[in-house]
Amino acid sequence: MKKYLLSIPSSLIGSFYGLTGKSAATWMVDCDPGDARVGSGGGTAWMLYRAWQQEQAGMGFGSWLAEGKRVVLHAGGQSRRLPAYAPVGKILTPVPVFRWQRGQRLDQTLLDMQVPLYDRILQQAPGQIHTLVASGDVLITGDELPVFPEADVICFGLWISPEQSTHHGVFFCDRHRPDSLEFMLQKPSVETIRGLAPDYYFMMDIGIWLLSDRAVELLMARCGWDGGRFGPGVNWSKDRLDGVPGYYDLYSDFGPAMGLNPQVDDPEIRALRVKIVSLEGGAFYHFGTGSDMLQSMLQIQNRVLDQRAIWNRNVKPHPSIFVQNAITGPFQEYHRQIWIENSCIPTSWRLASRHILTGIPKNSWTIDLKEGICLDMIPVAGKVCLRPYGFTDSFSGTTGCPDTLWMEKPLMKWMDDRRIESAIPDGTDIQQAPLFPLLDVSEDFEHWIRWMTGNPQVNKSLREEWLAAERLSAAQISSRADLPALQEQRQHFRALSLGKLAGNYRKSVFYQLDLDHTAREWARVGLELPQLLPASESPLLQIHNRMFRNRIGRYRGDSNNEDETAAFRILQEAILQRFISEPVLPRMNVMSDQIVWGRSPARLDLAGGWTDTPPYCLIEGGRVVNVAVEMNGQPPLQVFVKPAEKHSIILRSIDLGEREEISTWEHLALSGGVGSAFAIPKAALILTGFHPDYCRVKYHSMEEQLRDFGGGMEITLLSAIPKGSGLGTSSILAATILGTLSDFASLKWDRTTIGNRTLALEQLLTTGGGWQDQFGGLLPGVKYLESVPGINQSPTVRWLPDHLFTRPECLESMLLYYTGITRVAKNILAEIVRGMFLNSDKHLGLLREMKGHALNTFEAIQTDDYGLLAAKIRQSWQLNCELDEGTNPPQVASVIRQFEDYAAAYKLLGAGGGGYLLILAKNPEAAGRIRSVLQHDPPNMRARFVDLSLSGHGFQVTRS
């Protein structure tokens, strides 16, 4: 079980679950103890201690630590330099939707954006590691994660310049041992880094640390922990009389004591194995200040500049303008660095640049904000606290000090200008200074804003009112803010913007949102269904629109599936349209006694499955690694076509023992659906031109067409693989039929054309599969297939070395086991395709990870490392299980338990849930043990091992 331990401002604890919808079963929130200054190390120790107190149930700390996995997130602090979100902490800062990414939400926060990476890292961590520690005021992105080394501490770093490194902790690694930490320095100077660079690699510490249980217990001890010897009530050393951890910093105390040549002498910490992992393709975005927040968002939004990947067609007057949950007027080219959230800014406001405007209610005020002025309005006990401040204000310093700034000018000058010099005693920390008036909602905010941010002579009486008013300090605002009221206003503005975003879909992010989440919100606020998009719009936009309408209906209790049916039909028509517009003319190309014989291998999918499936691949492209294999020495899928004197088409299935004769186009109809014996060959005949919609010449009947063709035909099918096997049987059989008919009917299709028509065939059958199965069987060997976005999915192929699949010791360690448990992929596909239609954040996130994983698997196979290949296949299995919970049903899980101690990796092939199981044993001896175990106790009478061998030919067609 995984749990999140979140350290937050004390004022947020009571509202956290209501504001975020998080479950207390998964999320524990707390703050640093009392007023104690404990540091990031002490804070980590405290959060773990508090979680143990809540959960231990008589269990010792060490045993509890080993029971589950935990993410410790430090998100407390006063947020002096980001006042707008100080009441909720930086961790709940609203984050705008990235213009280049699908599946995000209008209500997403920094916390929402952080967690997926931490989950991926912790899931992939070595077995002895159960704890991840990270900072709550940063957003870190990364591509596919590498295989992690075994260690007590794993720290993540980024390659950056020496100048950037001076603001952070830096890891130094010997150039001959680039993954082993030599030592760590905090904020080293450029000169120091320059002197060390000839001998050491250096990377910035991004604050993500994985700690083994041993490392955690050492950290606890350094904070005064006594090991929990006296139970959950008395657990800190005798010198900690206040019952809390001592001050200890994870990054500046524990870190410098780590490594092969640490800067701090602590033999126990030095004995820990410490590894540094570079987060390849990663980026670090800081949300420490208002300026950081805008700069980070600008960098994130500009990570992708390729307009083909950006659905939002709006071009802002300047890219540093960000608006969320707000109603605003138009912006001009001179506007720069503006953040408006949870606010109404009407056209009567005149803005400049460098503004952060939050919490401003609906109004008709006339306001002229000077550059650098920010404004925050916070509900407090039925009133509103007015907080103006400066864009670069740090809320540091004391009153009476000329260097203490407010609104980017000396605080003393502001007070002098308004003749209120003695209102606040000199020497008061500005964070504690009562500067911000608490006003009734009926008061004239317009005059107050003008007086506080501009000319103090606008309304002289406000001086006396300010002096007499109840005023709050920045610290008091955070502790007294009415967070539910703030959230209610945010939701109100978001509801107002929903309909406008949908109506302005061509220039907004609307149809790239997580539409399931958005539909729930739409139904909650009672908006009318969005209008159907015109047929002139792209099929993908129409699909999203239809599925969104359907999902709103479901949340309102409407079971009508008309819109969902239309969405699948639009996808089908979009893929088929190309083939309808390019009809073919079949012509018999054999002698009367010849037989055309087509045969194909099966495919084993190693990585990237699902990314080849429409509509995902149409929008983002797909990547797959798979292998073509023969089974028991033969290609298992075979098709025989020969001429017939009678002007009809006879279909036979050897494995099913069925026969059907077709003499009219009506007989060719697919009314039987995917489950009928001859649905696949019927669809293949349609796409081969034996149907009016796909034939270049218009005939009056099938009989007339067959006469012109040169006669009838007999098609005999043999599938030596059961349905629901996970080896791509249906798609490869379809491709084999199409390829054999192409040769028989003079169509001269190459393998790419056959693969593309197979994709169309599956749309005719409404099975909706992707392209990897057919290309996996059509093309030989081990290969990496990649497609680019677009309706025409023609993947490029890069062949990989086959040593890992042909070398005797490797081949002897690879087992293909038929479990006897089958699962037809159509229903699985339909549910996951719904997630794709709706831009489901869960589905899209996993699909992107799968896509990156396929590229990493491609690179791993090139290293000729069996252990690395096994690690990649393990990860493929984990990703498949995350995408579809039914992938590992109890029957299969019980089979796996029988042999998993001897296996380096395993995965069910295809969509999963049954069929064939690919097992990579640890070595040939272990493979023998697996065979023995499963042969002695098979799950059913059908289960068996099948010999596999690499196919060097792929699809072949020959004539008698």
Side-chain angles (χ1 to χ4, degrees):
M1 179 180 175
K2 179 171 55 189
K3 190 153 187 175
Y4 306 90
L5 314 181
L6 184 57
S7 175
I8 55 177
S10 58
S11 56
L12 176 58
I13 291 175
S15 304
F16 176 81
Y17 299 109
L19 293 178
T20 65
K22 305 292 186 189
S23 166
T26 308
W27 289 81
M28 187 200 86
V29 293
D30 206 335
C31 59
D32 287 345
D35 295 324
R37 184 169 175 264
V38 295
S40 57
T44 300
W46 178 254
M47 293 301 292
L48 290 167
Y49 165 68
R50 293 283 286 162
W52 174 64
Q53 278 189 313
Q54 290 184 15
E55 303 171 21
Q56 56 92 25
M59 189 183 300
F61 182 79
S63 300
W64 170 82
L65 202 59
E67 276 289 298
K69 295 197 172 189
R70 297 162 193 88
V71 176
V72 181
L73 264 175
H74 293 293
Q78 296 178 321
S79 296
R80 292 187 182 218
R81 298 182 299 162
L82 187 57
Y85 299 107
V88 293
K90 296 170 188 173
I91 196 76
L92 294 187
T93 299
V95 175
V97 171
F98 304 165
R99 62 183 183 146
W100 43 266
Q101 184 146 305
R102 296 182 304 129
Q104 296 190 331
R105 309 195 317 255
L106 292 175
D107 61 349
Q108 65 193 15
T109 65
L110 184 56
L111 177 62
D112 298 321
M113 309 306 289
Q114 290 175 330
V115 165
L117 177 63
Y118 302 151
D119 285 348
R120 286 167 55 201
I121 291 173
L122 197 53
Q123 181 183 36
Q124 200 171 314
Q128 78 277 10
I129 287 181
H130 298 98
T131 305
L132 182 151
V133 182
S135 172
D137 66 350
V138 298
L139 175 59
I140 297 165
T141 61
D143 295 336
E144 176 70 12
L145 299 173
V147 175
F148 297 160
E150 295 288 333
D152 292 301
V153 181
I154 300 174
C155 299
F156 291 81
L158 286 177
W159 302 106
I160 60 170
S161 68
E163 290 74 19
Q164 292 172 294
S165 299
T166 60
H167 303 292
H168 305 277
V170 180
F171 302 122
F172 290 86
C173 302
D174 189 289
R175 288 178 175 268
H176 302 292
R177 295 172 297 194
D179 68 338
S180 295
L181 178 69
E182 285 288 320
F183 54 88
M184 179 183 182
L185 299 179
Q186 281 295 322
K187 300 181 180 179
S189 67
V190 173
E191 290 73 19
T192 299
I193 295 173
R194 187 180 295 125
L196 293 168
D199 299 311
Y200 299 99
Y201 290 120
F202 60 93
M203 276 188 281
M204 180 181 78
D205 174 19
I206 57 176
I208 302 176
W209 289 24
L210 287 171
L211 303 177
S212 70
D213 296 351
R214 178 185 174 204
V216 168
E217 292 191 349
L218 270 178
L219 173 64
M220 300 286 288
R222 297 302 176 270
C223 299
W225 173 250
D226 70 3
R229 291 189 298 273
F230 306 111
V234 185
N235 291 297
W236 300 100
S237 298
K238 293 180 180 178
D239 59 340
R240 300 301 308 165
L241 299 178
D242 52 359
V244 300
Y247 179 87
Y248 191 79
D249 193 79
L250 185 66
Y251 306 107
S252 59
D253 292 323
F254 196 90
M258 298 188 311
L260 300 173
N261 291 290
Q263 302 295 294
V264 174
D265 185 23
D266 187 323
E268 287 186 299
I269 295 178
R270 179 175 182 168
L272 296 173
R273 292 171 301 160
V274 182
K275 295 293 184 179
I276 306 301
V277 172
S278 168
L279 195 62
E280 299 298 335
F284 177 92
Y285 304 103
H286 196 208
F287 284 70
T289 70
S291 178
D292 287 340
M293 180 175 70
L294 270 87
Q295 183 62 26
S296 291
M297 284 313 309
L298 182 59
Q299 290 173 347
I300 291 170
Q301 296 289 10
N302 287 335
R303 277 188 65 187
V304 176
L305 297 175
D306 185 342
Q307 295 170 33
R308 293 169 296 181
I310 300 172
W311 283 36
N312 176 6
R313 302 179 188 179
N314 184 42
V315 178
K316 295 187 284 188
H318 193 272
S320 62
I321 300 170
F322 300 99
V323 177
Q324 306 172 78
N325 313 310
I327 305 297
T328 69
F331 294 96
Q332 305 300 324
E333 291 185 2
Y334 57 81
H335 289 133
R336 299 283 193 279
Q337 293 182 282
I338 293 177
W339 177 282
I340 300 175
E341 195 271 325
N342 187 19
S343 295
C344 173
I345 307 298
T347 55
S348 54
W349 286 53
R350 182 175 178 180
L351 305 181
S353 61
R354 299 193 303 125
H355 301 308
I356 298 174
L357 308 175
T358 52
I360 299 167
K362 185 177 180 181
N363 68 88
S364 57
W365 310 326
T366 300
I367 302 293
D368 186 355
L369 278 189
K370 303 301 181 185
E371 179 177 347
I373 298 298
C374 304
L375 193 61
D376 190 16
M377 299 180 73
I378 310 100
V380 177
K383 295 187 176 183
V384 176
C385 186
L386 178 62
R387 171 166 53 185
Y389 60 96
F391 188 78
T392 59
D393 285 2
S394 62
F395 279 86
S396 61
T398 58
T399 54
C401 175
D403 295 329
T404 301
L405 302 181
W406 183 34
M407 288 188 272
E408 299 191 322
K409 295 179 180 178
L411 172 61
M412 288 178 61
K413 177 169 174 44
W414 186 89
M415 299 181 77
D416 289 344
D417 287 345
R418 288 157 182 78
R419 295 184 293 112
I420 49 177
E421 302 88 344
S422 60
I424 302 171
D426 287 350
T428 304
D429 183 340
I430 190 173
Q431 181 75 359
Q432 307 296 331
L435 295 168
F436 309 107
L438 193 58
L439 307 173
D440 290 328
V441 293
S442 60
E443 294 204 41
D444 188 344
F445 290 96
E446 182 177 338
H447 286 167
W448 275 103
I449 294 169
R450 290 183 185 181
W451 181 77
M452 293 188 73
T453 65
N455 186 350
Q457 306 305 319
V458 169
N459 189 330
K460 295 182 179 180
S461 65
L462 288 180
R463 171 185 179 276
E464 284 71 29
E465 291 185 41
W466 184 88
L467 288 168
E470 180 182 0
R471 289 175 274 112
L472 303 182
S473 67
Q476 288 174 314
I477 290 175
S478 292
S479 64
R480 293 178 58 183
D482 186 340
L483 300 183
L486 200 62
Q487 183 77 336
E488 184 179 348
Q489 178 175 297
R490 179 175 286 120
Q491 290 174 342
H492 172 72
F493 280 128
R494 188 162 57 245
L496 291 177
S497 65
L498 265 180
K500 294 184 178 181
L501 285 169
N504 192 33
Y505 65 90
R506 302 195 82 211
K507 290 187 176 182
S508 78
V509 298
F510 189 80
Y511 282 111
Q512 70 189 67
L513 297 172
D514 181 327
L515 294 175
D516 179 71
H517 182 86
T518 307
R520 188 182 297 113
E521 179 76 359
W522 191 288
R524 185 186 67 81
V525 300
L527 296 173
E528 293 293 323
L529 279 179
Q531 294 295 311
L532 289 173
L533 298 191
S536 57
E537 287 293 358
S538 74
L540 292 173
L541 268 180
Q542 293 182 61
I543 287 168
H544 286 314
N545 169 256
R546 287 284 195 167
M547 288 300 291
F548 180 62
R549 287 165 51 94
N550 174 264
R551 194 49 59 111
I552 294 170
R554 287 195 180 191
Y555 284 124
R556 290 176 176 172
D558 181 1
S559 59
N560 188 340
N561 285 324
E562 179 182 341
D563 279 311
E564 180 178 291
T565 302
F568 279 94
R569 186 185 68 248
I570 293 167
L571 177 62
Q572 178 190 61
E573 291 171 353
I575 292 174
L576 291 175
Q577 181 56 44
R578 172 186 168 200
F579 303 101
I580 294 173
S581 63
E582 298 175 1
V584 296
L585 183 60
R587 285 285 181 261
M588 190 180 293
N589 187 29
V590 296
M591 297 179 183
S592 60
D593 62 345
Q594 278 188 305
I595 298 175
V596 178
W597 174 30
R599 60 266 189 209
S600 296
R603 70 97 188 92
L604 310 181
D605 60 305
L606 304 184
W610 292 112
T611 71
D612 63 304
T613 305
Y616 180 81
C617 63
L618 308 184
I619 301 170
E620 300 198 14
R623 292 178 187 157
V624 172
V625 177
N626 65 29
V627 185
V629 296
E630 295 183 350
M631 301 170 65
N632 295 326
Q634 295 291 330
L637 299 160
Q638 305 197 19
V639 176
F640 305 87
V641 184
K642 70 174 186 177
E645 292 185 6
K646 188 176 179 182
H647 295 108
S648 64
I649 301 171
I650 297 172
L651 303 176
R652 290 190 177 90
S653 170
I654 294 175
D655 49 294
L656 297 177
E658 296 199 28
R659 177 187 184 279
E660 185 173 339
E661 184 171 350
I662 299 169
S663 57
T664 68
W665 289 321
E666 288 72 25
H667 288 159
L668 202 59
L670 300 175
S671 58
V674 68
S676 65
F678 296 113
I680 292 173
K682 286 180 178 180
L685 285 164
I686 291 172
L687 284 164
T688 313
F690 292 97
H691 188 279
D693 289 347
Y694 295 86
C695 184
R696 198 160 63 234
V697 175
K698 299 305 177 186
Y699 297 99
H700 293 95
S701 67
M702 177 177 281
E703 181 180 2
E704 180 186 356
Q705 180 175 7
L706 290 174
R707 286 181 184 279
D708 191 43
F709 175 67
M713 70 184 91
E714 293 184 17
I715 302 174
T716 302
L717 315 176
L718 169 62
S719 173
I721 310 174
K723 284 184 178 180
S725 65
L727 299 185
T729 311
S730 298
S731 298
I732 300 174
L733 179 61
T736 308
I737 298 170
L738 287 168
T740 308
L741 287 173
S742 169
D743 187 273
F744 184 84
S746 308
L747 296 173
K748 300 179 181 179
W749 291 337
D750 61 16
R751 295 182 184 190
T752 298
T753 303
I754 294 168
N756 285 335
R757 287 192 174 256
T758 305
L759 186 67
L761 182 149
E762 292 182 321
Q763 290 297 325
L764 274 177
L765 293 177
T766 70
T767 53
W771 47 252
Q772 85 133 323
D773 293 347
Q774 56 266 34
F775 283 105
L778 287 167
L779 302 172
V782 189
K783 61 247 177 223
Y784 168 78
L785 300 148
E786 181 174 17
S787 71
V788 298
I791 293 294
N792 180 16
Q793 287 289 293
S794 298
T796 57
V797 188
R798 280 180 269 183
W799 271 273
L800 286 154
D802 60 11
H803 308 131
L804 293 174
F805 302 89
T806 56
R807 189 183 298 126
E809 63 269 26
C810 294
L811 195 55
E812 290 171 19
S813 300
M814 287 188 189
L815 303 172
L816 188 60
Y817 184 67
Y818 181 57
T819 64
I821 304 162
T822 59
R823 187 183 187 202
V824 178
K826 180 177 180 181
N827 292 335
I828 314 166
L829 268 167
E831 187 55 39
I832 292 176
V833 167
R834 285 188 188 97
M836 296 175 184
F837 282 156
L838 290 163
N839 298 331
S840 160
D841 180 47
K842 174 194 171 183
H843 290 94
L844 293 185
L846 286 168
L847 288 164
R848 291 188 192 106
E849 191 171 350
M850 288 174 161
K851 192 174 170 183
H853 174 61
L855 181 58
N856 276 7
T857 304
F858 162 67
E859 293 170 348
I861 292 173
Q862 293 183 91
T863 67
D864 198 27
D865 184 331
Y866 181 84
L868 188 55
L869 172 64
K872 294 303 176 186
I873 289 177
R874 279 200 309 273
Q875 194 171 350
S876 292
W877 174 240
Q878 290 171 354
L879 289 168
N880 281 7
C881 290
E882 285 186 66
L883 187 66
D884 174 28
E885 293 177 356
T887 293
N888 188 13
Q891 294 167 288
V892 172
S894 67
V895 174
I896 290 171
R897 281 194 295 270
Q898 290 180 265
F899 68 79
E900 61 183 336
D901 288 344
Y902 306 115
Y906 48 82
K907 77 178 291 288
L908 284 170
L909 297 163
Y916 280 88
L917 186 64
L918 176 65
I919 306 168
L920 271 65
K922 292 177 178 177
N923 49 51
E925 292 73 26
R929 288 179 174 272
I930 294 171
R931 281 185 181 274
S932 176
V933 166
L934 293 180
Q935 286 172 342
H936 179 265
D937 187 17
N940 52 64
M941 296 300 291
R942 298 178 301 279
R944 59 191 179 271
F945 284 97
V946 177
D947 290 339
L948 64 88
S949 58
L950 194 70
S951 170
H953 301 287
F955 168 68
Q956 300 175 79
V957 61
T958 53
R959 299 172 178 228
S960 61

mmCIF file of all heavy atoms in Angstrom, residues 408-423:
data_model
loop_
_atom_site.group_PDB
_atom_site.id
_atom_site.type_symbol
_atom_site.label_atom_id
_atom_site.label_comp_id
_atom_site.label_asym_id
_atom_site.label_seq_id
_atom_site.Cartn_x
_atom_site.Cartn_y
_atom_site.Cartn_z
ATOM 1 N N GLU A 408 7.201 47.123 -3.830
ATOM 2 C CA GLU A 408 8.467 47.391 -4.524
ATOM 3 C C GLU A 408 9.049 48.770 -4.194
ATOM 4 O O GLU A 408 9.892 49.289 -4.916
ATOM 5 C CB GLU A 408 8.312 47.223 -6.040
ATOM 6 C CG GLU A 408 7.894 45.809 -6.446
ATOM 7 C CD GLU A 408 7.984 45.561 -7.934
ATOM 8 O OE1 GLU A 408 7.670 46.471 -8.718
ATOM 9 O OE2 GLU A 408 8.365 44.430 -8.312
ATOM 10 N N LYS A 409 8.598 49.355 -3.069
ATOM 11 C CA LYS A 409 9.139 50.635 -2.597
ATOM 12 C C LYS A 409 9.356 50.521 -1.088
ATOM 13 O O LYS A 409 8.777 49.647 -0.437
ATOM 14 C CB LYS A 409 8.168 51.778 -2.904
ATOM 15 C CG LYS A 409 7.981 52.023 -4.400
ATOM 16 C CD LYS A 409 6.991 53.150 -4.648
ATOM 17 C CE LYS A 409 6.806 53.400 -6.141
ATOM 18 N NZ LYS A 409 5.809 54.466 -6.416
ATOM 19 N N PRO A 410 10.173 51.381 -0.523
ATOM 20 C CA PRO A 410 10.383 51.305 0.926
ATOM 21 C C PRO A 410 9.063 51.428 1.687
ATOM 22 O O PRO A 410 8.256 52.333 1.421
ATOM 23 C CB PRO A 410 11.306 52.489 1.211
ATOM 24 C CG PRO A 410 12.037 52.706 -0.073
ATOM 25 C CD PRO A 410 11.053 52.403 -1.155
ATOM 26 N N LEU A 411 8.846 50.517 2.613
ATOM 27 C CA LEU A 411 7.651 50.559 3.448
ATOM 28 C C LEU A 411 7.562 51.889 4.193
ATOM 29 O O LEU A 411 6.471 52.463 4.343
ATOM 30 C CB LEU A 411 7.675 49.393 4.437
ATOM 31 C CG LEU A 411 6.599 49.384 5.524
ATOM 32 C CD1 LEU A 411 5.205 49.316 4.921
ATOM 33 C CD2 LEU A 411 6.833 48.223 6.493
ATOM 34 N N MET A 412 8.720 52.416 4.641
ATOM 35 C CA MET A 412 8.716 53.689 5.376
ATOM 36 C C MET A 412 8.147 54.813 4.523
ATOM 37 O O MET A 412 7.411 55.673 5.017
ATOM 38 C CB MET A 412 10.147 54.033 5.810
ATOM 39 C CG MET A 412 10.679 53.151 6.942
ATOM 40 S SD MET A 412 12.383 53.566 7.375
ATOM 41 C CE MET A 412 12.192 55.280 7.904
ATOM 42 N N LYS A 413 8.461 54.805 3.212
ATOM 43 C CA LYS A 413 7.950 55.866 2.341
ATOM 44 C C LYS A 413 6.442 55.751 2.204
ATOM 45 O O LYS A 413 5.726 56.767 2.213
ATOM 46 C CB LYS A 413 8.621 55.800 0.972
ATOM 47 C CG LYS A 413 8.092 56.841 -0.020
ATOM 48 C CD LYS A 413 8.923 56.948 -1.256
ATOM 49 C CE LYS A 413 8.307 57.886 -2.284
ATOM 50 N NZ LYS A 413 7.786 59.143 -1.736
ATOM 51 N N TRP A 414 5.942 54.510 2.060
ATOM 52 C CA TRP A 414 4.491 54.343 1.968
ATOM 53 C C TRP A 414 3.818 54.905 3.208
ATOM 54 O O TRP A 414 2.802 55.604 3.119
ATOM 55 C CB TRP A 414 4.149 52.854 1.806
ATOM 56 C CG TRP A 414 2.684 52.588 1.570
ATOM 57 C CD1 TRP A 414 2.034 52.546 0.384
ATOM 58 C CD2 TRP A 414 1.679 52.361 2.583
ATOM 59 N NE1 TRP A 414 0.696 52.301 0.571
ATOM 60 C CE2 TRP A 414 0.447 52.171 1.913
ATOM 61 C CE3 TRP A 414 1.703 52.286 3.984
ATOM 62 C CZ2 TRP A 414 -0.738 51.929 2.588
ATOM 63 C CZ3 TRP A 414 0.505 52.043 4.658
ATOM 64 C CH2 TRP A 414 -0.698 51.851 3.973
ATOM 65 N N MET A 415 4.370 54.636 4.371
ATOM 66 C CA MET A 415 3.763 55.109 5.612
ATOM 67 C C MET A 415 3.919 56.626 5.749
ATOM 68 O O MET A 415 3.001 57.322 6.204
ATOM 69 C CB MET A 415 4.390 54.369 6.793
ATOM 70 C CG MET A 415 4.160 52.864 6.732
ATOM 71 S SD MET A 415 4.865 51.962 8.126
ATOM 72 C CE MET A 415 3.667 52.319 9.398
ATOM 73 N N ASP A 416 5.082 57.162 5.356
ATOM 74 C CA ASP A 416 5.289 58.608 5.418
ATOM 75 C C ASP A 416 4.304 59.338 4.517
ATOM 76 O O ASP A 416 3.729 60.378 4.902
ATOM 77 C CB ASP A 416 6.726 58.962 4.990
ATOM 78 C CG ASP A 416 7.752 58.541 6.028
ATOM 79 O OD1 ASP A 416 7.353 58.267 7.176
ATOM 80 O OD2 ASP A 416 8.950 58.467 5.675
ATOM 81 N N ASP A 417 4.121 58.828 3.293
ATOM 82 C CA ASP A 417 3.218 59.481 2.334
ATOM 83 C C ASP A 417 1.796 59.561 2.879
ATOM 84 O O ASP A 417 1.045 60.473 2.542
ATOM 85 C CB ASP A 417 3.209 58.721 1.008
ATOM 86 C CG ASP A 417 4.497 58.908 0.217
ATOM 87 O OD1 ASP A 417 5.272 59.837 0.546
ATOM 88 O OD2 ASP A 417 4.734 58.121 -0.735
ATOM 89 N N ARG A 418 1.434 58.631 3.721
ATOM 90 C CA ARG A 418 0.062 58.595 4.237
ATOM 91 C C ARG A 418 -0.018 59.061 5.692
ATOM 92 O O ARG A 418 -1.055 58.924 6.333
ATOM 93 C CB ARG A 418 -0.490 57.162 4.087
ATOM 94 C CG ARG A 418 -0.776 56.835 2.604
ATOM 95 C CD ARG A 418 -0.772 55.352 2.304
ATOM 96 N NE ARG A 418 -0.996 55.103 0.880
ATOM 97 C CZ ARG A 418 -0.059 55.243 -0.071
ATOM 98 N NH1 ARG A 418 1.169 55.627 0.270
ATOM 99 N NH2 ARG A 418 -0.345 55.024 -1.336
ATOM 100 N N ARG A 419 1.108 59.573 6.216
ATOM 101 C CA ARG A 419 1.204 60.144 7.559
ATOM 102 C C ARG A 419 0.719 59.140 8.620
ATOM 103 O O ARG A 419 -0.082 59.450 9.480
ATOM 104 C CB ARG A 419 0.430 61.451 7.642
ATOM 105 C CG ARG A 419 1.048 62.531 6.748
ATOM 106 C CD ARG A 419 0.341 63.871 6.883
ATOM 107 N NE ARG A 419 -1.023 63.818 6.365
ATOM 108 C CZ ARG A 419 -2.105 63.918 7.123
ATOM 109 N NH1 ARG A 419 -1.991 64.081 8.429
ATOM 110 N NH2 ARG A 419 -3.306 63.868 6.582
ATOM 111 N N ILE A 420 1.225 57.923 8.518
ATOM 112 C CA ILE A 420 0.857 56.905 9.507
ATOM 113 C C ILE A 420 2.131 56.255 10.048
ATOM 114 O O ILE A 420 2.176 55.041 10.298
ATOM 115 C CB ILE A 420 -0.082 55.845 8.886
ATOM 116 C CG1 ILE A 420 0.498 55.333 7.542
ATOM 117 C CG2 ILE A 420 -1.468 56.394 8.659
ATOM 118 C CD1 ILE A 420 -0.340 54.254 6.917
ATOM 119 N N GLU A 421 3.168 57.097 10.273
ATOM 120 C CA GLU A 421 4.491 56.594 10.649
ATOM 121 C C GLU A 421 4.469 55.740 11.906
ATOM 122 O O GLU A 421 5.201 54.761 12.026
ATOM 123 C CB GLU A 421 5.466 57.760 10.852
ATOM 124 C CG GLU A 421 5.618 58.658 9.629
ATOM 125 C CD GLU A 421 4.577 59.774 9.598
ATOM 126 O OE1 GLU A 421 3.579 59.673 10.348
ATOM 127 O OE2 GLU A 421 4.753 60.744 8.836
ATOM 128 N N SER A 422 3.670 56.097 12.849
ATOM 129 C CA SER A 422 3.720 55.418 14.156
ATOM 130 C C SER A 422 2.667 54.330 14.303
ATOM 131 O O SER A 422 2.459 53.808 15.388
ATOM 132 C CB SER A 422 3.541 56.444 15.282
ATOM 133 O OG SER A 422 2.285 57.101 15.132
ATOM 134 N N ALA A 423 1.988 54.002 13.218
ATOM 135 C CA ALA A 423 0.893 53.036 13.328
ATOM 136 C C ALA A 423 1.387 51.638 13.683
ATOM 137 O O ALA A 423 0.679 50.865 14.324
ATOM 138 C CB ALA A 423 0.107 52.990 12.013
#
